Amino acid sequence: MNVLLLGSGGREHALAWKLAASPLLSKLYAAPGNPGIAEEAEIVDLKVDDSAAVETFCKANKIDLVVVGPEAPLVAGLVDRLSAAGIKAFGPTARAARLEGSKSFTKAVAVANNVPTSASSTFTNLPEAKEFIYKSDVPIVVKADGLHAGKGVIVAMTKSEANDALEQVFAMGGNNDPVVIEEFLEGEEASFFCFIDGETVLPLASAQDHKRVFDGDKGPNTGGMGAYSSAPVFTPEIERRTLEEIVQPTVRALARDGTPYRGVLYVGLMITKDGPKLIEYNVRFGDPECQVLMPRLKDDLLTLMLATCDGTLGKMSVRWRDEVAITVVLATKGYPGDYKAGSEIRGLLRAGEVEGVKIFHAGTKREGDKLVAAGGRVLNVTATGKTLQEARTRAYRAVDLIDWPEGFCRRDIGWRGL
Ligand code: AMP
Ligand code: GLY
């Protein structure tokens, strides 16, 4: 089979690495890709938001499956367009992708189907939202309705912070988009991933991300500074409840409404004292969570993705290596604020030779024979081991062999699991 993978982050490098190992694969193309992905796939010059160009490329190159990594093209309807052209694509349609593209849509689905989630209200004007904050308790959470590259969510500790957050978030949507205000949930966060073929849910595995930039979960939020899988807080009992109370009712509701969900569903959860509650859905793999799922997956990813597209997940099962995986994100100093691109990275070959280690590229670029940083999150140093401790020791051993003075990482990835 010929496969086209869209995206350019560490998530897509992990997907490329796993797809490249598939016995079904003839040729893997990737766009826009990165230097790590280029080791697994032929890079093609395509923009992921140019759906016409993607369609033309697929027809010219006999692409049997398009795998869409990031959310934006899904929310914009790339899968709808490809399907209409008879091209198989992994990921939800635009209407099903509203589970990530609109917080108010997800809240409405959750409420209508008794899915446990935080209490929330949706506002379309600032004075009413401020009035609501005035009457509420803090902490409280303010969310822009649409996609804002992870910057649309503010956890406000005081009312004055909440008011500032409202002004900011209303402005993001040009004062036209709804804003969701929700109750602050207490507990431990975990994420859970499932393949869904419209009807059947195939549970994959759990992971835990580290969103704050500094050790001890301090500092501003980021796209994720590291992850490990599986998450001990996500016990078999929590998994059973998550499937029964959250995932299944959502999948049934979308199917009933004529917008069946197909693809991978990222279930963002707070494990509270009353059980799992839904924080958010994402309609794609997590980044960096994908980087710790792929090394643990024993079965063929391409076979599972095809079954997801074809509606045959009911015949599938999935096996995982009895190992823990961890990934440490190396970022450019300054991230998630301003940072300088272009610094040289050395020592990757040596670091990649540490037992159990695989380094995924996120924001890197080749300049002549040099590898340079080209983004905020730059490398994902990933390791597996029999225990979390073993995996973590291996990952940090590799991190310490990388020569990149302009980079930094958290030194405490996996602390909750230890
Ligand atoms: P989201 O983009 O919805 O995942 O929100 C980003 C982060 O904000 C989450 O990973 C949580 O850490 C935090 N968060 C969002 N909603 C809530 C909530 N209702 N209660 C507590 N924390 C939340
Ligand atoms: N790591 C969080 C996300 O992918 O949304």
Side-chain angles (χ1 to χ4, degrees), residues 152-304:
V153 174
I154 297 160
V155 178
M157 303 311 289
T158 64
K159 291 202 181 189
S160 127
E161 263 178 57
N163 277 314
D164 292 347
L166 278 178
E167 307 229 352
Q168 207 179 317
V169 158
F170 266 103
M172 279 180 190
N175 291 309
N176 292 317
D177 292 349
V179 168
V180 176
I181 301 180
E182 61 181 53
E183 167 205 8
F184 176 79
L185 294 173
E186 268 180 81
E188 191 171 328
E189 269 187 84
S191 38
F192 178 50
F193 298 84
C194 302
F195 281 153
I196 295 162
D197 68 1
E199 238 176 76
T200 300
V201 175
L202 182 69
L204 298 179
S206 66
Q208 222 166 19
D209 190 6
H210 300 61
K211 299 220 180 200
R212 302 296 187 120
V213 71
F214 299 128
D215 283 18
D217 291 333
K218 302 264 175 14
N221 259 314
T222 69
M225 293 299 293
Y228 68 103
S229 175
S230 52
V233 67
F234 198 77
T235 60
E237 172 63 6
I238 296 286
E239 173 168 338
R240 186 190 64 74
R241 288 189 59 183
T242 301
L243 286 166
E244 242 172 70
E245 298 170 19
I246 300 177
V247 182
Q248 300 283 9
T250 304
V251 169
R252 280 196 297 268
L254 265 68
R256 207 168 47 229
D257 292 345
T259 57
Y261 189 92
R262 284 188 200 93
V264 60
L265 187 66
Y266 170 136
V267 189
L269 297 164
M270 192 68 85
I271 314 303
T272 72
K273 62 175 178 15
D274 303 322
K277 291 195 179 179
L278 177 68
I279 297 179
E280 61 162 352
Y281 284 127
N282 293 314
V283 297
R284 49 165 175 86
F285 277 110
D287 188 346
E289 291 94 326
C290 187
Q291 291 87 310
V292 288
L293 294 182
M294 292 305 120
R296 292 189 52 228
L297 177 60
K298 263 194 196 165
D299 292 302
D300 179 39
L301 178 63
L302 185 48
T303 303
L304 291 166

Side-chain angles (χ1 to χ4, degrees), residues 13 23 136 146-147 150 153 238 253 268 272 309 325 354 375 393 395 414:
H13 187 186
S136 304
L147 294 182
V153 174
I238 296 286
T272 72
C309 296
V354 175
T393 304

